Amino acid sequence: MSRKDVEQAAARSPGQDRVGRVGLVGAGVVVAVEAFWLVLGLPAGALVSDLGALTAAGWAAVACVAAARRHPVTLRRFWLLLAVTMALSLAGRALWTSQRLLGERLPHTLPIGLIFAASLLTGTAALFCWTTAPRTTVGRARTLLDGVIVGLALIPIGWLLIFRNVSLADLDEPLRTAGLLYPMFDLMQLTILVAVVGPGRPVWRPMALLGVSLTVRAVADTVYVSLVAAGTYQPGTPVDVLWPLSYLLIVVATRMSPPRDHGAAEEVGEVGEAPLPQWWRVVLPYLPVGGAIVATMLARDASGHTPMPIFLAMMALLATLALRQGLAANENLRLVVQLRKLAYVDQLTGLPNRLAFTRRLRGALRGTNRVAVLLLDLDGFKQVNDRFGHTTGDTLLSGLSRRMRRAVGDDGMIARIGGDEFAVLVTDGRPLAPERLAERLLAALQPSPGEELVGVHPSASIGIAEYGPQHISHTDLLRDADIAMYAAKAAGKSAYRRCTQGLRESAVSRAELIADLRRAVDEEQLHLEFQPIVDLATGAVRSAEALVRWRHPRLGVLSPARFLPLAEETGLILPIDRWVIHEACRAAATWQDRVPSATVAVNIAASHLRRPDLIATVTEATAGAGLAPRALTLELTESALIEGSDAVLDRLGQLRELGIRIAIDDFGTGYSSLSYLHRIPATELKIDRSFVARIPEDARAYATVEMVTRLAGAFDLGVVAEGVETERQHDAVAAIGCVQGQGYRYGRPTALAELRAVLAKADPPGVSGVAESGLTLT
């Protein structure tokens, strides 16, 4: 329900509210007076009974019309139909009273029967206009049949309990006989009400009162039928007060306002996931059937014959049950279709999902000689979700899937098998070469004019695998496509690769290396080497960068470039980083007594930077080694810092407050920006070796290094020139004004003992002395 509807529902004038209260009190007084009159057995009880019913029914009709005007549109039809029902009840009761006053003791006439039938239809229609009632024709028919089942099942039970001793000759008047079915119709409507009030949700109080009203009317009609069947009913007895009481309950229901969340519940019921009904709501229509069967067996006469009314009622009950089960079977088939769609279709893109693709692939491998699989992974899609949110990511993913579907067309089956992964199946019936299809897919993913300005359009890497003798199952074929896809990513992305024997062997080696890497830390296969960072003016070693090496038991010593990328992909970089930090701090602590100013630098992966336990790792490492925090420098790449969130920047700020130094490594190769230099609490910049290597020959490289040095000075940052290997490079960076340098010119990475030997010299001999100490290769 919208806010406007709620306001309209709540907005009633004082005059209207006063009239409603007066009417409710007046109807209540009338019913109370009637009850008092009939219980005491005062004169003219029948007339008082009729007048009380007429007054209560009339005011109920007026109150329902007023409720329709006050309540929102979603409930207006419900109250209007209920008003018509009350008006018909008023008309039927007025006709009944007039004919009784004219001398008819129990006037079961055709007009009264037609009015009653009309009120039954409008009352049932009102229930189906409730906001939680079934919206489909099948759902409404199912609910109506549930009510009919209950009503028909009560005929044999009623016969056994009430009419067993009634002669069939006494039921020769059709209208009078139909009047004896009033309780059955009441319980039919009560069953429908229970079914539509909203399974799984709290019952709204007006509907609860309506249910009580139907129950009271059912009791009144049952008592009336029992007395009529026994020939003892007299108008003006206390049972007559039950009918106006049922009308009074409806008047009370109209005084209640709709809940504020009623419209929301309706909306969820229509377009969202419907709540599951309680078990008793499901079995309710079938509970009386067992009683009807027992009643039918007990109602047989001495000759074993079943009375004709019971026989006809049971035949109608069986037909209704058959129709109801037919609808249930049809609904089950529809649900099976929906479940199959949910099981085999991706809900976001509408493409087949992984399960559907796997089934088709397995079937294709059994029935054809040529099967190829294209595995496609969107490059950079995670950054889209991280930067713009999952809503933007889902929109982009839906649009790209439509492009890929059009690109594949009838030449293959495309499916979404993961978050940003898609697969295409090509079989004998589609003669297009997989490479041609891959080119078509890459072309389809190219941004249209203007889309590249959005900055959220990823490329794709595609791996191709074709069924061959090396494939035992569909999983082998998918594995090969995955191998080729990662080869395409390694080739620069936005490309495709076909799986070859060489790629398979490389993937096996890669998997074995990852498995060995998991054991490397625990089995102490890692060790550190240290490369000195020197003062360009004096040659004194000011710091050392800790570089991890892996002593592989079979492959020998492996450089970081060989295994650190694998560690970052698998998450093993975190335990490796922790080990390096602790070992580097312990190593630096061994030279603090001789050279207190010398620091140690450690590279930190981007994934570790995003973890909140980084601060705890650093503080534990420095405290455990007895190292002052100022003696530790954390080196971070530009890309890791640029992708950092505010939480990352806060974490870096906390590290600086502890005294930890922050260096921006490989400066100039990432997304260099003056704005982030203002935000990141860095202490120094390390100029990337690619610029230093070109300084002697490239004026632009020289200008770049000079500009970075001046920029660092403006920000009060230290500068380290990386990759200094020749005398000319040394002279150039020194002339520019770089304070420190690092590279083979000053020393290769070496063991801790050799570095300590250099640091132990009280009077550093200068640059040449450092080279002569054995820290450089000759």
Side-chain angles (χ1 to χ4, degrees):
M1 183 188 307
S2 66
R3 180 177 299 178
K4 180 179 179 181
D5 287 335
V6 174
E7 293 174 351
Q8 289 177 349
R12 60 179 76 163
S13 65
Q16 289 177 330
D17 200 48
R18 185 165 51 254
V19 170
R21 286 198 302 270
V22 171
L24 175 61
V25 172
V29 170
V30 169
V31 174
V33 169
E34 179 184 350
F36 179 78
W37 194 287
L38 298 182
V39 168
L40 294 181
L42 298 178
L47 181 60
V48 170
S49 171
D50 291 336
L51 293 177
L54 288 170
T55 302
W59 187 250
V62 173
C64 288
V65 172
R69 297 178 61 185
R70 289 197 316 271
H71 286 188
V73 177
T74 53
L75 297 174
R76 193 162 297 165
R77 185 178 299 177
F78 167 78
W79 288 116
L80 288 177
L81 285 172
L82 203 57
V84 173
T85 303
M86 291 297 97
L88 289 172
S89 298
L90 173 64
R93 190 73 186 204
L95 187 59
W96 172 284
T97 301
S98 62
Q99 293 188 5
R100 190 184 61 78
L101 291 176
L102 292 176
E104 184 73 25
R105 181 172 176 271
L106 296 177
H108 293 283
T109 62
L110 179 60
I112 295 176
L114 293 177
I115 292 175
F116 173 77
S119 68
L120 178 67
L121 293 176
T122 56
T124 303
L127 295 177
F128 282 117
C129 290
W130 185 244
T131 55
T132 56
R135 289 291 179 265
T136 64
T137 302
V138 174
R140 290 173 176 173
R142 183 185 64 244
T143 303
L144 180 62
L145 289 175
D146 287 343
V148 173
I149 289 172
V150 171
L152 291 174
L154 290 176
I155 293 179
I157 298 174
W159 182 275
L160 181 67
L161 298 178
I162 300 174
F163 305 117
R164 188 171 188 177
N165 298 322
V166 176
S167 172
L168 294 179
D170 296 335
L171 303 177
D172 55 351
E173 298 180 20
L175 292 175
R176 182 168 179 267
T177 303
L180 301 179
L181 299 180
Y182 287 175
M184 181 191 76
F185 295 126
D186 295 334
L187 291 176
M188 282 176 54
Q189 283 193 321
L190 188 59
T191 302
I192 294 173
L193 183 144
V194 171
V196 305
V197 290
R201 300 190 185 97
V203 179
W204 188 36
R205 286 181 298 173
M207 289 300 287
L209 284 175
L210 186 59
V212 175
S213 173
L214 284 174
T215 304
V216 170
R217 196 177 73 188
V219 172
D221 288 342
T222 301
V223 174
Y224 169 77
V225 167
S226 300
L227 295 176
V228 169
T232 59
Y233 173 74
Q234 293 293 331
T237 55
V239 68
D240 289 350
V241 79
L242 295 179
W243 284 289
L245 178 60
S246 68
Y247 304 146
L248 178 62
L249 289 172
I250 295 177
V251 176
V252 176
T254 63
R255 299 292 302 162
M256 296 181 179
S257 299
R260 289 180 177 270
D261 60 343
H262 193 73
E266 176 197 7
E267 183 179 351
V268 171
E270 288 184 4
V271 301
E273 182 180 354
L276 293 176
Q278 295 92 336
W279 66 270
W280 60 269
R281 293 179 184 268
V282 177
V283 302
L284 177 64
Y286 302 97
L287 291 178
V289 175
I293 296 174
V294 174
T296 300
M297 297 175 62
L298 296 177
R300 293 178 179 177
D301 55 22
S303 60
H305 293 93
T306 301
M308 183 59 63
I310 296 181
F311 176 79
L312 294 177
M314 289 302 295
M315 290 298 101
L317 178 60
L318 291 176
T320 306
L321 284 171
L323 182 57
R324 175 65 175 84
Q325 292 305 110
L327 289 177
N330 178 73
E331 188 174 19
N332 289 340
L333 289 176
R334 182 176 58 84
L335 291 176
V336 167
V337 172
Q338 290 182 350
L339 289 175
R340 287 179 63 88
K341 183 177 180 180
L342 291 174
Y344 294 113
V345 176
D346 177 67
Q347 298 304 299
L348 176 62
T349 63
L351 296 174
N353 59 13
R354 176 182 286 272
L355 182 58
F357 183 82
T358 301
R359 289 191 62 184
R360 289 284 298 273
L361 176 58
R362 294 174 67 178
L365 291 175
R366 290 193 299 265
T368 183
N369 294 324
R370 178 177 180 268
V371 175
V373 170
L374 286 76
L375 197 62
L376 183 148
D377 183 83
L378 298 178
D379 302 322
F381 189 77
K382 182 179 182 299
Q383 284 72 19
V384 175
N385 281 334
D386 293 344
R387 184 178 177 187
F388 298 96
H390 288 278
T391 301
T392 300
D394 289 346
T395 302
L396 177 61
L397 203 61
S398 299
L400 294 178
S401 66
R402 288 192 293 270
R403 293 188 181 191
M404 290 186 287
R405 187 199 292 267
R406 290 194 297 268
V408 173
D410 296 331
D411 293 316
M413 170 199 176
I414 182 169
R416 183 191 180 200
I417 62 174
D420 59 352
E421 286 190 348
F422 297 82
V424 180
L425 175 63
V426 180
T427 59
D428 270 342
R430 286 110 176 209
L432 185 68
E435 290 83 358
R436 180 72 183 97
L437 192 55
E439 293 172 356
R440 190 191 294 174
L441 284 167
L442 291 177
L445 292 176
Q446 291 297 317
S448 302
E451 286 185 336
E452 65 275 2
L453 299 178
V454 181
V456 296
H457 204 295
S459 58
S461 299
I462 302 176
I464 302 173
E466 196 156 1
Y467 182 73
Q470 70 276 7
H471 301 118
I472 301 175
S473 65
H474 70 283
T475 56
D476 297 325
L477 191 59
L478 289 173
R479 177 207 60 202
D480 277 4
D482 191 63
I483 291 171
M485 185 265 291
Y486 275 103
K489 282 187 177 294
K493 304 178 181 179
S494 190
Y496 67 88
R497 289 291 184 272
R498 175 183 281 271
C499 187
T500 63
Q501 184 61 30
L503 288 179
R504 290 190 195 94
E505 294 174 356
S506 176
V508 171
S509 300
R510 181 177 180 273
E512 293 175 350
L513 197 61
I514 291 174
D516 294 340
L517 186 58
R518 296 184 186 278
R519 299 188 295 267
V521 176
D522 296 335
E523 297 180 0
E524 299 181 353
Q525 297 176 11
L526 301 179
H527 73 282
L528 292 182
E529 291 184 352
F530 299 86
Q531 186 172 30
I533 301 174
V534 304
D535 187 302
L536 294 181
T538 65
V541 178
R542 298 301 185 189
S543 182
E545 182 177 354
L547 302 171
V548 64
R549 301 290 188 264
W550 180 11
R551 292 193 187 95
H552 194 279
R554 178 170 48 86
L555 302 176
V557 178
L558 301 181
S559 66
R562 181 77 181 275
F563 63 90
L564 286 185
L566 296 179
E568 292 183 358
E569 290 179 15
T570 58
L572 294 173
I573 193 65
L574 298 177
I576 292 177
D577 268 1
R578 295 190 191 101
W579 181 87
V580 170
I581 293 173
H582 282 81
E583 289 298 312
C585 289
R586 281 193 285 268
T590 64
W591 68 62
Q592 289 299 300
D593 56 339
R594 296 174 182 256
V595 188
S597 61
T599 63
V600 66
V602 177
N603 288 281
I604 296 296
S607 57
H608 209 154
L609 181 62
R610 292 190 289 267
R611 291 182 61 87
D613 59 355
L614 174 62
I615 296 176
T617 299
V618 172
T619 54
E620 289 173 4
T622 54
L627 184 70
R630 62 171 178 76
L632 175 62
T633 301
L634 299 182
E635 294 190 0
L636 311 166
T637 62
E638 282 186 278
S639 57
L641 293 171
I642 290 299
E643 294 173 4
S645 61
D646 291 338
V648 170
L649 296 177
D650 291 341
R651 199 165 297 129
L652 292 177
Q654 295 177 48
L655 289 171
R656 282 298 297 128
E657 291 175 359
L658 294 173
I660 305 297
R661 299 173 62 82
I662 307 294
I664 302 178
D665 198 14
D666 301 333
F667 187 81
T669 59
Y671 304 96
S672 303
S673 171
L674 294 177
S675 63
Y676 81 82
L677 284 179
H678 285 279
R679 303 179 64 197
I680 298 172
T683 56
E684 62 187 53
L685 303 180
K686 300 189 73 174
I687 302 176
D688 187 69
R689 65 182 63 247
S690 62
F691 298 107
V692 174
R694 301 197 308 271
I695 279 183
E697 299 85 13
D698 190 342
R700 291 186 177 182
Y702 189 99
T704 301
V705 175
E706 184 178 29
M707 179 192 67
V708 171
T709 303
R710 293 181 179 179
L711 179 66
F715 281 90
D716 195 23
L717 303 175
V719 178
V720 178
E722 293 187 290
V724 180
E725 299 184 358
T726 67
E727 196 69 27
R728 293 180 63 192
Q729 293 170 356
H730 165 77
D731 294 339
V733 295
I736 288 174
C738 294
V739 179
Q740 296 180 355
Q742 178 182 355
Y744 288 174
R745 170 66 180 77
Y746 316 113
R748 288 179 178 272
T750 188
L752 175 62
E754 297 184 42
L755 179 66
R756 290 181 62 192
V758 175
L759 292 172
K761 296 180 180 181
D763 186 15
V767 177
S768 60
V770 174
E772 291 171 359
S773 69
L775 295 182
T776 60
L777 288 181
T778 59

